């Protein structure tokens, strides 16, 4: 896919030692398009290497931070093999560099922060959310999987919250994100601009000074008794089961107990989700507990490419069609049930590629900005 670096889907500002990135497609909820990935990587590399840059701030224009990957781009690639391979490669490679960035980053996050969009929030040294922030990882429901490093992130949450968030696509508020360890600070939305100005005025990358500046605007985090974070005992009991089938069976039994009415709509959503997507996601999260960041990203790259190639199912295209193309919310999954998903076939999407075809994660610091898509065998 051709990338035009001149199109202003990303705005950059240089204010002294502080550099700002604004995701600038508000009408599209700041989706992560191929152009956005290209520009993010270009600027983050430039600023990490620039001795004059001390702090990087990222935010979203309009009512959202970012709704994640552009599903319509994925759908357009349905009839053209590996149409999306370049943007997938570039984005997962970028995810590694965001996690390991050498200078302090602050994400100022309001509104929707979902899927790949959340990968520009959670790994940051400082991730500031508001009372209007909404987070979710809903990929499994449409026949996809938890990607953009979230098989690494979610698998490290306490208990079985990782399985729960990945399989259900449950939404979290700003306060819940901080309480769960997925964000660092909660700031009122009407103070976010003042905080940005304060950080720019600070003109420093001193982490202690940045932290102090953010804390001047902070709210105490108070989680309601209805929050899913208070349902850990039930979640850990059900989502520790060996298979998706056993998880649903256990969760359904719990839903019939007094006080567990909250389970009913969650269970309904799980039963509507892609059986193949659920099974791939559960295995990916559980494998992620034993994998490094780079191993998770390489695995996610393989999963994404194999899913987009419809290696064992075309559910991802049917899920996108039902959600964003025809918008009938009536996907026809194939296979239709969890029991019909062949576990041997499931293993196929996890199989390593030949070494030259894997995502190249440069773990040597001296070479950390190598391994780009244009240097890979895919670009030849």
């Amino acid at each position: 896919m051709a990338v035009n670096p001149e199109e202003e889907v990303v705005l950059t500002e240089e204010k002294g030692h502080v550099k700002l990135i604004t995701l600038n497609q508000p009408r599209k909820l700041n989706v992560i398009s191929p152009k956005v990935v290209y520009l993010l990587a270009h600027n983050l590399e430039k600023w990490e290497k620039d001795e004059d840059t001390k702090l990087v701030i990222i935010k979203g224009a309009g009512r959202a931070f970012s709704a994640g990957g552009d599903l319509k781009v994925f759908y357009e690639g349905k009839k053209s093999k590996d149409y999306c391979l370049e943007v997938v490669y570039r984005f997962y490679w970028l995810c590694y560099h965001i996690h390991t960035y050498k200078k302090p980053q602050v994400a100022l996050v309001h509104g929707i922060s979902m899927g790949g969009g959340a990968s520009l929030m959670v790994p940051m040294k400082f991730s500031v959310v508001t009372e209007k922030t909404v987070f979710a990882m809903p990929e499994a429901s449409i026949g996809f999987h938890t990607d953009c490093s979230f098989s690494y992130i979610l698998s490290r949450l306490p208990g079985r919250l990782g399985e729960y968030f990945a399989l259900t696509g449950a939404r979290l508020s700003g306060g819940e994100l901080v309480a769960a360890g997925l964000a660092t600070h909660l700031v009122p939305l009407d103070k976010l601009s003042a905080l940005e100005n304060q950080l720019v005025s600070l003109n420093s990358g001193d982490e202690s000074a940045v932290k102090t500046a953010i804390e001047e605007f902070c709210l105490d985090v108070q989680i309601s008794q209805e929050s899913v974070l208070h349902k850990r005992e039930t979640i850990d009991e059900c989502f520790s089961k060996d298979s998706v089938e056993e998880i649903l069976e256990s969760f359904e039994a719990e839903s019939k107990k007094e006080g567990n009415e909250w389970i009913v709509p969650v269970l309904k959503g799980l039963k509507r989700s892609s059986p193949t997507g659920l099974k791939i996601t559960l295995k990916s999260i559980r494998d992620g507990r034993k994998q490094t960041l780079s191993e998770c990203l390489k695995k996610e790259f393989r999963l994404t490419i194999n899913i987009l190639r419809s290696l064992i199912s075309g559910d991802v295209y049917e899920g996108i069609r039902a959600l964003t193309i025809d918008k009938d919310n009536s996907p026809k999954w194939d296979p239709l049930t969890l029991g019909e998903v062949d576990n041997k076939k499931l293993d196929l999407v996890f199989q390593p590629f030949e070494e030259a075809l894997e995502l190249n994660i440069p773990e040597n610091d001296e070479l950390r900005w190598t391994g780009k898509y244009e240097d890979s065998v895919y670009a030849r």
Side-chain angles (χ1 to χ4, degrees):
M1 284 172 286
V3 174
N4 174 13
E6 301 304 319
E7 189 172 334
E8 292 191 317
V9 294
V10 170
L11 299 177
T12 60
E13 299 174 82
E14 301 193 4
K15 298 185 176 181
H17 296 304
V18 180
K19 306 299 189 284
L20 293 94
I21 297 178
T22 303
L23 304 173
N24 191 42
Q25 297 181 91
R27 292 182 180 178
K28 293 184 177 180
L29 300 179
N30 298 320
V31 293
I32 309 295
S33 66
K35 295 181 184 68
V36 171
V37 174
Y38 176 90
L39 291 168
L40 286 173
H42 171 77
N43 285 294
L44 289 175
E45 178 179 1
K46 179 177 69 174
W47 291 336
E48 185 180 282
K49 293 176 176 178
D50 173 25
E51 291 185 6
D52 195 50
T53 299
K54 306 299 183 186
L55 179 69
V56 175
I57 298 172
I58 184 167
K59 60 181 181 175
R63 298 179 295 107
F65 179 69
S66 174
D70 191 338
L71 295 180
K72 290 184 178 179
V73 169
F74 277 176
Y75 194 77
E76 287 166 7
K78 181 179 180 180
K79 295 180 180 178
S80 177
K81 185 182 177 183
D82 293 344
Y83 177 79
C84 296
L85 192 148
E86 179 180 344
V87 68
V88 171
Y89 189 106
R90 288 185 185 278
F91 196 20
Y92 293 4
W93 181 89
L94 176 61
C95 284
Y96 178 80
H97 290 81
I98 289 172
H99 274 268
T100 59
Y101 205 63
K102 302 301 183 185
K103 295 180 179 179
Q105 299 166 292
V106 180
L108 300 177
V109 184
H110 67 288
I112 292 171
S113 179
M114 293 185 179
S119 69
L120 305 178
M121 170 187 79
V122 177
M124 302 299 187
K125 182 68 180 181
F126 302 101
S127 46
V128 179
V129 293
T130 78
E131 73 279 10
K132 297 294 186 183
T133 303
V134 180
F135 163 91
M137 298 299 295
E139 291 82 4
S141 66
I142 62 165
F144 200 50
H145 68 105
T146 303
D147 69 332
C148 297
S149 78
F150 273 90
S151 71
Y152 177 83
I153 294 167
L154 295 186
S155 65
R156 281 154 178 77
L157 293 179
R160 300 295 175 164
L161 286 175
E163 282 96 331
Y164 179 80
F165 293 142
L167 292 174
T168 67
R171 295 189 171 201
L172 292 178
S173 67
E176 288 173 321
L177 282 167
V178 175
L182 294 169
T184 60
H185 297 85
L186 179 67
V187 167
L189 177 58
D190 61 6
K191 302 288 186 185
L192 209 56
S193 292
L195 170 58
E196 179 186 329
N197 292 336
Q198 180 77 355
L199 292 171
V200 170
S201 298
L202 196 63
N203 202 29
S204 167
D206 180 81
E207 290 186 8
S208 178
V210 171
K211 184 170 183 279
T212 299
I214 296 171
E215 287 174 346
E216 288 178 17
F217 296 85
C218 264
L219 292 170
D220 290 331
V221 174
Q222 297 179 336
I223 303 301
S224 78
Q225 285 303 309
E226 302 304 310
S227 171
V228 70
L229 298 179
H230 289 306
K231 316 293 186 186
R232 272 282 308 281
E233 185 177 348
T234 299
I235 288 170
D236 289 353
E237 170 64 26
C238 297
F239 285 78
S240 62
K241 304 303 181 191
D242 289 341
S243 66
V244 178
E245 291 95 327
E246 290 171 288
I247 287 172
L248 264 63
E249 183 181 342
S250 176
F251 208 35
E252 185 143 28
E254 287 291 326
S255 73
K256 295 169 184 173
K257 296 180 181 178
E258 187 177 347
N260 276 350
E261 295 81 7
W262 64 276
I263 293 177
V264 175
V266 181
L267 193 60
K268 186 177 179 182
L270 280 166
K271 289 179 176 179
R272 284 201 310 259
S273 297
S274 160
T276 301
L278 290 175
K279 288 207 167 189
I280 290 173
T281 295
L282 180 63
K283 178 171 169 52
S284 179
I285 292 293
R286 291 191 169 164
D287 287 354
R289 285 202 174 92
K290 306 183 290 287
Q291 294 171 326
T292 64
L293 171 62
S294 60
E295 287 170 340
C296 281
L297 286 165
K298 288 179 180 182
K299 171 197 63 187
E300 291 172 8
F301 177 72
R302 294 191 293 266
L303 290 178
T304 294
I305 298 308
N306 284 330
I307 288 170
L308 293 177
R309 287 173 176 171
S310 299
L311 184 65
I312 64 170
S313 170
D315 274 5
V316 68
Y317 296 111
E318 177 61 10
I320 295 172
R321 179 206 64 76
L323 181 68
T324 66
I325 307 300
D326 298 336
K327 300 182 180 179
D328 57 25
N329 290 312
S330 298
K332 309 293 188 294
W333 304 127
D334 182 20
L336 187 59
T337 67
L338 289 165
E340 293 176 273
V341 179
D342 187 328
N343 287 330
K344 288 184 180 178
K345 285 186 177 180
L346 197 70
D347 289 338
L348 291 176
V349 296
F350 286 86
Q351 288 298 311
F353 292 157
E354 294 177 22
E355 187 173 350
L357 300 176
E358 295 277 14
L359 179 70
N360 188 347
I361 300 291
E363 296 183 70
N364 181 329
D365 268 2
E366 292 180 7
L367 303 172
R368 68 182 258 99
W369 291 99
T370 64
K372 294 182 174 74
Y373 172 80
E374 48 266 39
D375 300 323
S376 75
V377 295
Y378 294 113
R380 294 174 191 167

